[in-house]
Amino acid sequence: MENTVAKVRLCNPRDSGRCLELDLLVDTGSTYTWIKASRLRELGIEPMKRWRFRTIEGRIIERNLGEAIIECMGERATTIVVFAQENDAEVLGVYSLEGLRLEVDPVTKQLKKTEALLAI
């Protein structure tokens, strides 16, 4: 199966000059966007809280969360980011995709802008 990769720009919401360009695997099975903690610290993004997550193997893990500005395909949104450990994958999750009004085309497997959002 072909993977969908997104070119994104991730920025510190309190210092828009501190940004990183990243290629992220789009993971529609992941609620949040996971970025290596070292990269987030490099941007000056601080953890706000710590949450528990269940892995695909069923294990419970804890990770810090923060906020970032994400840009992709001409769209920009504030999003939640998970401080990933070095062995965690970096992925673009559904929360960020919805904030950016983007979706994965089921035929081409490419990102596209959402035609319209659900109103209710």
Side-chain angles (χ1 to χ4, degrees):
M1 180 174 218
E2 186 177 324
N3 291 325
T4 302
V5 175
K7 291 190 177 300
V8 304
R9 180 176 164 100
L10 198 70
C11 301
N12 182 325
R14 290 161 191 73
D15 182 357
S16 60
R18 294 177 79 174
C19 299
L20 283 176
E21 307 282 334
L22 300 168
D23 291 329
L24 295 179
L25 180 66
V26 177
D27 186 351
T28 57
S30 178
T31 304
Y32 297 110
T33 295
W34 290 59
I35 305 293
K36 301 282 186 220
S38 58
R39 292 188 201 257
L40 294 174
R41 283 190 217 99
E42 178 183 328
L43 289 176
I45 295 173
E46 297 292 328
M48 299 181 325
K49 57 182 88 175
R50 192 163 178 88
W51 281 0
R52 295 173 59 169
F53 296 91
R54 184 179 310 278
T55 69
I56 196 166
E57 299 90 12
R59 293 182 302 115
I60 301 294
I61 60 174
E62 289 189 7
R63 298 291 185 270
N64 289 324
L65 297 176
E67 287 181 341
I69 301 294
I70 192 163
E71 299 173 358
C72 184
M73 296 179 63
E75 300 293 336
R76 178 181 171 104
T78 301
T79 193
I80 294 171
V81 288
V82 178
F83 282 67
Q85 292 183 353
E86 288 307 310
N87 59 335
D88 295 334
E90 289 187 305
V91 298
L92 179 64
V94 174
Y95 184 90
S96 297
L97 286 174
E98 289 180 352
L100 292 164
R101 297 178 305 133
L102 300 174
E103 63 187 351
V104 178
D105 184 298
V107 176
T108 66
K109 305 293 188 231
Q110 298 300 309
L111 278 185
K112 68 176 190 174
K113 293 186 178 184
T114 303
E115 280 186 36
L117 298 174
L118 292 175
I120 299 176

